Amino acid sequence: MACGAAREGKSDTAALELLPSAPRKMNESKTGGSQNPTCVFCRKNDDCPIKYGEKKTNEKWNLTVHYYCLLMSSGIWQRGKEEEGVYGFLIEDIRKEVTRASKLKCCICKKTGASIGCVTPRCKRSYHFPCGLQRECIFQFTGNFASFCWNHRPVQIITSNNYRDSLPCTICLEFIEPIPTYSILRSPCCKNAWFHRDCLQVQAINAGVFFFRCTVCNNSDIFQKEMLRMGIHIPEKDASWELEENAYQELLQHYEHCDVRRCRCKEGRDYNVPDSKWEIKRCQCCGSRGTHLACSSLQSWEQNWECLECRGILYNSGDFQKAKKHTLPNTNVGITDCLLEESSPKLPRQSPGAQREDLLRQGSKFRRDISTLIIELGFQIKKKAKRLFIDKANIWNSALDGFRNQNFNPSYTIEIAYVNENDHFGKEQPGSKQEFLSLLMQQLENSPLFEGSLSKNLSLNSQALKENLYYEAGKMLAISLVHGGPSPGFFSKTLFNCLVYGPESTQPILDDVSDFDVAQIIIRINTAATVADLNSLINEYYNYLELIGCLRLITSLSDKYMLAKDILVYHVIKRVQAPFERW
């Protein structure tokens, strides 16, 4: 759906009977050749997509518009589907808007047809879109598609300007004065990043909503929100470089060359026959070297193989040598499988089909067993002991102090000594590591970092975020698992799946919602019997749904399930994104 989707209103069933008759042939395209019609709103024939949006002509009704002129007009809403009319704006609605605008005079060029008005209350200024650009008005391509005149436009405010010298625009690298103006914008996430407005707009058009981000820190959410506020149009499309046909074709090729010193294959080093001894296997570490199975005496594809460069790095690593001495019962997975499972940066990009084939071939090698990983990490614990002084009456704080101590090393063996803070003689009693870790997990389960009765999810606790307690809790959990302590049996299935498979692959359920009011909203939406009931609920909870970004257009009763799903995902996952990342 185009950006005009936010302007959708109720569908109109009236036919276009009031419009003049026209040829039956319908062709909607950009004009070219000798024809150069003018836009019905701004009355200019310029064809400049970056400034005015795409110029489109509906030949059936002999009507031409600039996309931005249409989108920003104050009295029109997108009531049709994307393929109807022009960008989903119905022809009769466009003509009504042109008629309305013909009675309004542009306060800049003094000509009629000013279809855009400043949204500030009591401001009576109206103008054409090109005139507004020339006078440095701001048009927001989001929400209600508001426009602001030069006196009421949003501005960027900085508390103090410590920049004495010019700074480069981080896109074109031309030096600019670091003062926020209409044509100079500052990044909201990187205080020393400045841009030309024109540079930002060109980048946004090319990058699209999925790749438009701060050029310094790569932040997208905060950066896009601020740029939309300041009038940068971010189209809902893929990046222009992603749309080029076969743009990354060379990255999809497998490396197929035998690099061993003496290749035994008579057909040459590039000869590759799958499922035979002349099949080429790539280095499991870098993927940029290969060998025939027979040339390296490999009995099957499942056997590991590293090139000389990677083997030298691995076998000269002290930690690697120590870990490899240990063997695991009932498993063929070695320490190298755990440490080297993730793709090397040198590994070429593979197509989904090729990746699936490799996964199937290498079998269990790429199936990370969590318990095996924990055991392998346990083998890396050094015999050198680190003593923790724990007050049984204050397990949580004494554990925090111990783990935050700069001398604490989680790879050392942990020894526990129980102390009493009220004992002025400083007596120590030897304690059990298992008992301490069990008590710590109980403290963690009952802490305000989690919510829920039995199966718990992360909570949103601002004080805990401020004190970085989610990070510390994650550290406690990891230490307990690796040092032989109890596992956190209180996790919900949703929280577990978020950790193992990622939040984007997890779908929460109603049981994950501990807030009674939110649960009631979801239940009422799921049990709505008619579209009218559903719309009534949306009106009732409009402020809440708008706040969490879950407002959606309802066209059928089945939309209730997507709405309920959106609320679930927000409340259980997106709401606690910051705690989850710290954890």
Side-chain angles (χ1 to χ4, degrees):
M1 197 61 125
C3 289
R7 289 182 170 275
E8 292 179 0
K10 298 179 180 178
S11 59
D12 189 2
T13 57
L16 303 180
E17 298 174 354
L18 299 177
L19 297 176
S21 58
R24 291 182 178 274
K25 181 180 177 182
M26 175 68 182
N27 183 17
E28 195 176 82
S29 63
K30 289 195 286 187
T31 59
S34 60
Q35 293 182 337
N36 195 9
T38 60
C39 171
V40 295
F41 289 105
C42 68
R43 301 173 187 174
K44 291 182 178 290
N45 58 10
D46 305 55
D47 191 359
C48 183
I50 291 181
K51 288 182 68 176
Y52 308 132
E54 184 182 13
K55 182 180 176 183
K56 182 167 284 194
T57 295
N58 186 306
E59 294 182 357
K60 177 179 179 181
W61 302 106
N62 190 26
L63 185 146
T64 301
V65 295
H66 289 124
Y67 179 42
Y68 295 169
C69 294
L70 175 63
L71 199 60
M72 300 308 302
S73 293
S74 302
I76 191 170
W77 302 88
Q78 187 187 48
R79 300 192 301 152
K81 296 181 180 178
E82 190 70 22
E83 63 275 7
E84 292 184 88
V86 182
Y87 300 111
F89 292 87
L90 302 181
I91 299 298
E92 71 167 331
D93 290 344
I94 295 176
R95 292 200 165 181
K96 288 179 181 178
E97 179 64 4
V98 172
T99 301
R100 184 189 72 85
S102 65
K103 303 172 185 177
L104 301 174
K105 183 178 291 188
C106 176
C107 62
I108 300 171
C109 70
K110 308 305 179 184
K111 296 179 181 179
T112 59
S115 62
I116 305 172
C118 178
V119 299
T120 304
R122 298 184 180 179
C123 181
K124 303 300 181 181
R125 291 190 178 98
S126 296
Y127 34 83
H128 303 102
F129 184 83
C131 296
L133 287 182
Q134 181 182 354
R135 196 64 173 81
E136 298 185 347
C137 300
I138 279 185
F139 304 92
Q140 294 181 342
F141 295 87
T142 185
N144 290 325
F145 294 82
S147 66
F148 299 86
C149 69
W150 53 93
N151 279 345
H152 302 120
R153 70 189 182 206
V155 295
Q156 290 186 312
I157 299 175
I158 56 176
T159 54
S160 61
N161 191 349
N162 298 323
Y163 304 103
R164 297 181 179 178
D165 301 323
S166 298
L167 294 175
C169 166
T170 60
I171 298 177
C172 71
L173 301 183
E174 282 189 12
F175 280 88
I176 55 180
E177 291 299 322
I179 301 174
T181 62
Y182 174 80
S183 57
I184 304 297
L185 300 177
R186 186 180 70 164
S187 171
C189 40
C190 296
K191 304 306 180 185
N192 59 342
W194 296 79
F195 312 90
H196 291 110
R197 173 181 289 273
D198 292 342
C199 293
L200 275 173
Q201 185 58 78
V202 172
Q203 184 187 16
I205 294 294
N206 289 324
V209 69
F210 303 110
F211 292 94
F212 183 57
R213 56 194 64 189
C214 177
T215 55
V216 177
C217 70
N218 265 347
N219 179 281
S220 59
D221 294 338
I222 298 175
F223 186 75
Q224 287 191 16
K225 184 177 180 180
E226 175 66 5
M227 294 305 113
L228 286 170
R229 185 180 77 90
M230 297 305 298
I232 300 298
H233 178 221
I234 310 172
E236 293 184 9
K237 69 178 186 66
D238 210 344
S240 56
W241 57 84
E242 293 286 343
L243 301 177
E244 297 180 20
E245 188 175 358
N246 298 325
Y248 303 100
Q249 189 63 34
E250 69 278 2
L251 298 178
L252 304 180
Q253 302 298 321
H254 287 278
Y255 184 83
E256 295 182 349
H257 184 79
C258 181
D259 295 294
V260 298
R261 182 175 297 179
R262 293 184 179 180
C263 178
R264 301 177 185 176
C265 182
K266 296 180 180 180
E267 302 295 332
R269 290 182 178 270
D270 295 327
Y271 186 68
N272 181 31
V273 180
D275 301 321
S276 73
K277 65 179 181 179
W278 301 121
E279 182 172 10
I280 291 180
K281 179 177 178 64
R282 295 182 297 279
C283 171
Q284 67 165 354
C285 302
C286 68
S288 60
R289 294 290 184 269
T291 178
H292 290 113
L293 296 182
C295 295
S296 294
S297 302
L298 299 176
Q299 300 300 319
S300 68
W301 178 270
E302 282 73 22
Q303 283 186 260
N304 295 331
W305 180 80
E306 306 94 15
C307 63
L308 288 175
E309 291 87 349
C310 295
R311 191 178 303 165
I313 295 172
L314 290 172
Y315 284 87
N316 288 328
S317 169
D319 289 341
F320 175 84
Q321 294 283 6
K322 293 176 183 178
K324 192 170 182 178
K325 291 179 183 178
H326 298 271
T327 57
L328 298 179
N330 302 323
T331 180
N332 294 323
V333 181
I335 183 68
T336 56
D337 298 317
C338 295
L339 296 178
L340 305 175
E341 178 179 329
E342 296 184 1
S343 301
S344 163
K346 293 163 64 177
L347 186 65
R349 179 186 292 183
Q350 297 177 336
S351 64
Q355 291 176 343
R356 173 177 168 81
E357 182 181 354
D358 278 353
L359 289 176
L360 292 175
R361 276 177 167 173
Q362 302 195 28
S364 61
K365 176 182 179 298
F366 283 95
R367 296 175 190 154
R368 172 174 292 186
D369 185 298
I370 297 176
S371 61
T372 300
L373 175 62
I374 293 172
I375 295 174
E376 294 286 4
L377 291 173
F379 286 151
Q380 300 181 23
I381 296 176
K382 299 177 176 63
K383 293 183 178 179
K384 184 176 180 179
K386 173 63 181 177
R387 179 170 293 186
L388 291 178
F389 298 94
I390 303 299
D391 182 2
K392 268 193 175 182
N394 197 352
I395 291 285
W396 178 263
N397 287 329
S398 54
L400 271 180
D401 293 339
F403 292 153
R404 285 174 170 173
N405 190 303
Q406 61 180 359
N407 294 323
F408 176 77
N409 190 332
S411 63
Y412 290 166
T413 299
I414 294 178
E415 288 185 356
I416 302 299
Y418 287 126
V419 296
N420 189 340
E421 292 181 354
N422 298 324
D423 184 2
H424 300 290
F425 295 97
K427 293 182 180 179
E428 300 177 10
Q429 295 180 352
S432 165
K433 179 181 68 175
Q434 291 285 51
E435 180 188 23
F436 160 67
L437 293 176
S438 297
L439 293 173
L440 185 59
M441 288 300 102
Q442 292 177 18
Q443 291 282 328
L444 191 60
E445 178 180 1
N446 298 320
S447 72
L449 304 181
F450 296 91
E451 60 185 19
S453 53
L454 298 177
S455 298
K456 293 181 178 290
N457 289 292
L458 283 177
S459 65
L460 181 59
N461 189 305
S462 57
Q463 186 63 29
L465 274 174
K466 184 178 179 180
E467 296 176 7
N468 207 21
L469 293 183
Y470 290 98
Y471 170 79
E472 299 295 342
K475 184 196 294 185
M476 292 176 183
L477 174 60
I479 289 173
S480 177
L481 291 173
V482 175
H483 285 265
S487 60
F490 56 89
F491 281 7
S492 70
K493 185 178 180 180
T494 297
L495 180 55
F496 178 82
N497 288 340
C498 282
L499 286 171
V500 177
Y501 305 112
E504 65 279 356
S505 302
T506 302
Q507 177 55 51
I509 60 176
L510 185 60
D511 290 342
D512 294 318
V513 180
S514 59
D515 188 306
F516 177 81
D517 293 332
V518 176
Q520 287 300 307
I521 293 175
I522 296 173
I523 292 172
R524 292 186 65 186
I525 289 174
N526 274 327
T527 55
T530 64
V531 173
D533 291 342
L534 190 54
N535 280 319
S536 176
L537 288 172
I538 291 177
N539 290 332
E540 182 178 348
Y541 300 116
Y542 183 90
N543 292 336
Y544 170 72
L545 295 176
E546 183 181 38
L547 177 66
I548 67 176
C550 291
L551 274 178
R552 62 167 48 240
L553 178 68
I554 301 300
T555 58
S556 66
L557 188 59
S558 60
D559 289 342
K560 67 181 183 180
Y561 301 114
M562 288 303 299
L563 178 58
K565 179 181 176 181
D566 289 346
I567 299 173
L568 271 174
V569 170
Y570 168 79
H571 188 80
V572 180
I573 297 179
K574 292 183 178 180
R575 182 177 63 96
V576 294
Q577 182 178 355
F580 187 86
E581 290 175 351
R582 299 281 182 87
W583 194 41

